[in-house]
Amino acid sequence: MELSQKKIETDLVDFIKSSLLEEGIFFDQNTYLWEVGLDSISIVSIILYLERNYKINLSEEDLNPENLKSVKAIADCCTKYF
Amino acid sequence: MPQSNSTYSLTGTDCFLLALEKHNISKGISGNTCHYVLDLKGKINSTDFTNKLNQHPSVQWLASISLGKKELLGLPVWEAQSISQLNLTLDTIYSDEILPFEIINRPISPFAKEPLFKFHHIERSNGNSSIVFSWHHLIMDGYGALLFLRSLDGHEINFTNRNRNTKADNKPQIDKASLKKVIKAKYFIDQTSKGPINFVNKERQANVHQKYKVLKFNQTETQNIAETAKQMGVKFGLSTFYLSTFASNVFDLLANRGIKVENFWLPVPKNARRKGAKGPLLGNHLSFLFYRLKAEDFTEIKNGIKSLQEQMMQQMKKDIPAGYQLLMNLLKRIPSSLYYYLISDKKRKSLSSFLFTMAAEHPESFSSFCGHEIIGALTFPPNTYPPGLTFAISPFKKQLQIMILYYEEVVSENEMDTLCNEIQKDLLGLSTAINERN
C-alpha cells in the first residue's frame, strides 16, 4: 500500500476533528496535540486509528513524545511503514 | 438556559456515585464533595458577589436541581424546580490556608433540601481573595464545575445535552454489539481486580478527618519533570509517570508499615466529553481505565510506567472504557442497594487501593473572574473514604500542582511528610540512584 504523507495527515486531522474534538475548535496538521487538550488517552486513540486503518504497528522506538506531538510529526513517522 | 420544571435522567456514572453515597462513603466526613479554588487579585466585595450569584440564571437553575423520587425500575432523575427568589449566603473566612478546615470538612449532602453546591469567600492577609466553589460530585464532575464558573462570567455553555426525561428516554437501548462490549468490560474488571489486592486504608472507622497537602512546582521545575518523564520512557502523556511515582511511594509507605505489597488496583477516571466541549454541565460524563500494578512494577518507576502504558493501550484496544460506560448505563434502573451489592466485594476494605485523578490545565482564556485577575486555580477532587488517599493533578499556567488529600486515620503526618518529600525527589529526578525497592 502506498500512502502519501499528505493523505495520512488529512485522514488524521479528519479523525481527530470528528472523534476527539468539539466542533469549531481550530486544528490542523501543525497544531500541537496538547494545545487543544488532547491527552494520553487521545494519543492512544490516534495510534489505534493508525493500526486499524493502515494496518501498521508503530515500533517502540517510534512511540515517543517527539513523534507524537502533532499530526505532521505522526504522519512523518508513519511514512516509512509504507 | 434549560427550562425549570423539567427532569433530567442521571448518567451511568451518576448512578454509580449515588449507590456509593447511599451505602458506602457516607461514613467519610467530607462525603463526595469537590472544590474549585480561584485565587483572585485584590479584594472582592462579598455583598456584590452574593447579589450577583443570587440573580444569575445559571446559579438559580443549578440551585433548583434536586434528586427526584425514583420509581421502581425507573430511571433516577434530577428535578429542576422554578425558584422565585434565591437567597444564597456567602461565608467569608479570613485565612491563608488554600482550603480552610471548615470548608474541606464540611460535606454537602445530595439528600438534604439545600443546593448541591456552596460558595465561600476567603480574604488573604496579602490583600488578595479566593472564591471557593464546593459541590457534590453527584451533580457534576470537575469539568462541569469549570464550565459553571465560566458561565458566571458570561461564557457560553451547554447546561445539558439530554432531552427532557420522556417515556422514550426510559426505554433501555442496547444492541448485540454493545452487549458484547459490556460483557467484555465486566469480565476484564472481574479478572483484573481479583485478589490479593493491597489497600492504603486500615480498617474502616466511623469518624475520620480530612487533610491535604499541595505540592507546587514552578515552570522550570515542571519542564524538568517532563524531561525526567521522557527519560523514564513516557511515550504519550505524563499521567503514567505521575501515577507510577505515586504508586511506588505508596508501596514504600506500606512496606514501612511491614506490609508485603502484592498488587494495587485502581480505577482511574477519564473525561468522556470531546476536548473543548462546552457542555454538558449537569452530571458526570466519565468512564474509567482500570490498572493493576504488581510488586515487580515498583522496583523502578520506569517499570510502572511501562506496565501502565501497556495496560492503557490494551484497554483502549478492547474498548473497555466504552464497555464500562455502557455497563454503568445498563445498571441505572436497579435499586441502589442491589447496585452497591453488585459493585462491592465484602471481603475488601475498599473499591480501590488509593485514588488518582488528573484534571486538564486551567484554561488560559479563563483569566479573570468577576472583574478580578485569576492568579491561581486549584481543583480538589472528592477524597472518597475508604480508601481515603487521593492524588490529583491540576496544572495552572504551565506549572504542575499536585494535591494529596488524605484522612489522618489513613496516613499519619510523618508518613505524609515522607511521601511528599519522596514524590518531589522522584518527579524531579533527584532520587538517589534508581529506586531500588524490595
Side-chain angles (χ1 to χ4, degrees):
Chain A
M1 177 169 56
E2 279 215 15
L3 271 172
S4 68
Q5 176 159 352
K6 185 80 196 148
K7 164 81 174 127
I8 299 170
E9 284 177 12
T10 310
D11 286 354
L12 276 179
V13 169
D14 285 349
F15 166 71
I16 291 168
K17 280 181 155 180
S18 64
S19 306
L20 304 175
L21 291 180
E22 188 69 4
E23 219 172 274
I25 292 182
F26 175 80
F27 184 84
D28 69 10
Q29 70 276 18
N30 296 312
T31 311
Y32 287 137
L33 304 186
W34 56 264
E35 273 179 0
V36 287
L38 293 173
D39 53 16
S40 50
I41 309 280
S42 313
I43 295 171
V44 171
S45 304
I46 295 167
I47 296 165
L48 293 177
Y49 172 84
L50 292 169
E51 284 189 7
R52 283 171 187 158
N53 282 272
Y54 306 132
K55 314 283 179 240
I56 57 167
N57 281 305
L58 294 181
S59 70
E60 281 285 306
E61 296 74 50
D62 284 333
L63 289 175
N64 64 62
E66 199 53 33
N67 285 343
L68 300 169
K69 68 182 179 192
S70 67
V71 161
K72 194 170 181 354
I74 297 169
D76 193 26
C77 162
C78 285
T79 47
K80 67 178 173 206
Y81 290 89
F82 301 107
Chain B
M1 179 64 57
Q3 294 171 308
S4 49
N5 298 319
S6 300
T7 58
Y8 305 92
S9 56
L10 273 71
T11 66
T13 319
D14 296 343
C15 294
F16 172 75
L17 292 172
L18 183 61
L20 284 185
E21 183 69 32
K22 283 188 175 169
H23 304 284
N24 189 19
I25 60 174
S26 54
K27 291 189 177 73
I29 284 208
S30 82
N32 207 354
T33 306
C34 321
H35 312 273
Y36 205 110
V37 184
L38 288 175
D39 295 325
L40 306 171
K41 186 100 182 147
K43 278 200 173 177
I44 290 263
N45 182 322
S46 65
T47 310
D48 288 354
F49 184 68
T50 310
N51 289 339
K52 180 181 170 131
L53 289 179
N54 281 314
Q55 286 160 18
H56 202 287
S58 300
V59 183
Q60 289 175 347
W61 180 75
L62 197 65
S64 79
I65 297 279
S66 61
L67 274 174
K69 198 167 183 284
K70 184 181 177 297
E71 290 170 17
L72 188 69
L73 301 183
L75 286 173
V77 292
W78 292 115
E79 285 176 354
Q81 311 286 346
S82 60
I83 287 184
S84 52
Q85 200 182 348
L86 187 60
N87 289 310
L88 290 181
T89 53
L90 186 72
D91 295 340
T92 297
I93 298 166
Y94 301 89
S95 173
D96 285 332
E97 284 278 321
I98 295 171
L99 206 52
F101 180 86
E102 52 265 58
I103 300 180
I104 199 151
N105 280 296
R106 181 178 175 164
I108 293 174
S109 167
F111 311 117
K113 288 193 184 320
E114 285 175 355
L116 280 90
F117 65 90
K118 177 139 187 73
F119 282 93
H120 283 93
H121 166 223
I122 308 176
E123 280 203 7
R124 309 296 190 186
S125 61
N126 62 3
N128 292 329
S129 322
S130 297
I131 290 292
V132 182
F133 172 60
S134 308
W135 74 97
H136 194 280
H137 196 8
L138 194 56
I139 198 168
M140 63 174 106
D141 50 32
Y143 191 81
L146 175 66
L147 291 172
F148 174 65
L149 289 171
R150 297 200 79 177
S151 79
L152 298 183
D153 253 10
H155 190 78
E156 187 200 333
I157 66 159
N158 298 327
F159 286 82
T160 167
N161 62 356
R162 280 166 284 158
N163 294 325
R164 288 178 63 182
N165 186 34
T166 62
K167 278 186 181 168
D169 293 329
N170 282 329
K171 281 183 190 166
Q173 292 172 340
I174 186 129
D175 53 33
K176 218 172 165 182
S178 304
L179 197 60
K180 216 171 153 185
K181 264 189 199 176
V182 168
I183 293 167
K184 208 199 278 182
K186 176 81 175 77
Y187 179 77
F188 175 84
I189 294 162
D190 287 347
Q191 292 303 307
T192 55
S193 66
K194 268 188 183 159
I197 304 285
N198 297 90
F199 303 94
V200 71
N201 57 296
K202 301 156 198 165
E203 292 308 314
R204 280 187 195 199
Q205 297 182 40
N207 294 305
V208 287
H209 299 93
Q210 182 157 227
K211 291 185 168 181
Y212 67 90
K213 299 275 183 206
V214 176
L215 306 179
K216 289 190 177 188
F217 300 87
N218 63 31
Q219 280 194 7
T220 311
E221 288 169 332
T222 305
Q223 282 166 5
N224 290 342
I225 289 168
E227 202 44 52
T228 312
K230 264 189 215 172
Q231 288 164 12
M232 294 276 186
V234 160
K235 294 182 190 303
F236 25 75
L238 297 174
S239 60
T240 51
F241 178 43
Y242 299 138
L243 181 50
S244 179
T245 302
F246 300 148
S248 74
N249 280 288
V250 175
F251 175 93
D252 285 351
L253 183 153
L254 293 182
N256 288 335
R257 287 181 188 168
I259 296 167
K260 185 178 179 286
V261 178
E262 291 175 87
N263 296 289
F264 284 153
W265 194 74
L266 301 102
V268 174
K270 161 188 177 302
N271 188 352
R273 297 178 187 82
R274 289 176 180 224
K275 305 299 172 196
K278 288 181 178 174
L281 176 151
L282 187 65
N284 285 270
H285 301 270
L286 304 169
S287 187
F288 292 86
L289 285 159
F290 302 88
Y291 296 115
R292 185 183 179 102
L293 286 162
K294 299 172 188 158
E296 56 264 35
D297 297 330
F298 304 112
T299 52
E300 290 182 29
I301 289 176
K302 62 182 179 188
N303 289 356
I305 293 171
K306 188 168 184 283
S307 170
L308 288 167
Q309 287 181 158
E310 283 167 5
Q311 291 183 57
M312 187 190 286
M313 197 73 155
Q314 284 308 312
Q315 288 182 56
M316 293 296 286
K317 259 185 194 169
K318 292 178 182 167
D319 234 353
I320 301 298
Y324 185 66
Q325 211 174 7
L326 282 166
L327 173 66
M328 286 195 292
N329 280 333
L330 266 185
L331 292 171
K332 273 171 32 168
R333 276 156 209 284
I334 62 172
S336 69
S337 49
L338 177 59
Y339 195 143
Y340 184 67
Y341 174 79
L342 291 173
I343 58 172
S344 61
D345 182 337
K346 306 295 168 287
K347 289 179 209 150
R348 283 198 186 180
K349 290 181 198 168
S350 172
L351 287 171
S352 180
S353 295
F354 60 90
L355 297 162
F356 169 72
T357 176
M358 193 157 163
E361 181 157 328
H362 179 88
E364 274 180 32
S365 56
F366 188 19
S367 57
S368 71
F369 185 70
C370 297
H372 292 259
E373 185 193 346
I374 296 175
I375 53 175
L378 280 165
T379 324
F380 286 80
N383 181 26
T384 308
Y385 173 82
L389 174 66
T390 301
F391 297 92
I393 305 287
S394 164
F396 178 76
K397 288 194 174 171
K398 313 268 178 289
Q399 296 170 88
L400 174 65
Q401 304 179 119
I402 298 172
M403 275 72 67
I404 308 175
L405 295 107
Y406 64 105
Y407 291 91
E408 59 189 23
E409 290 77 3
V410 175
V411 181
S412 73
E413 277 305 296
N414 282 343
E415 285 176 329
M416 184 48 67
D417 287 343
T418 309
L419 198 64
C420 289
N421 287 335
E422 294 304 317
I423 284 171
Q424 290 184 78
K425 278 194 228 164
D426 285 341
L427 290 178
L428 292 163
L430 304 174
S431 296
T432 47
I434 304 266
N435 300 301
E436 293 271 340
R437 298 181 160 89
N438 278 338

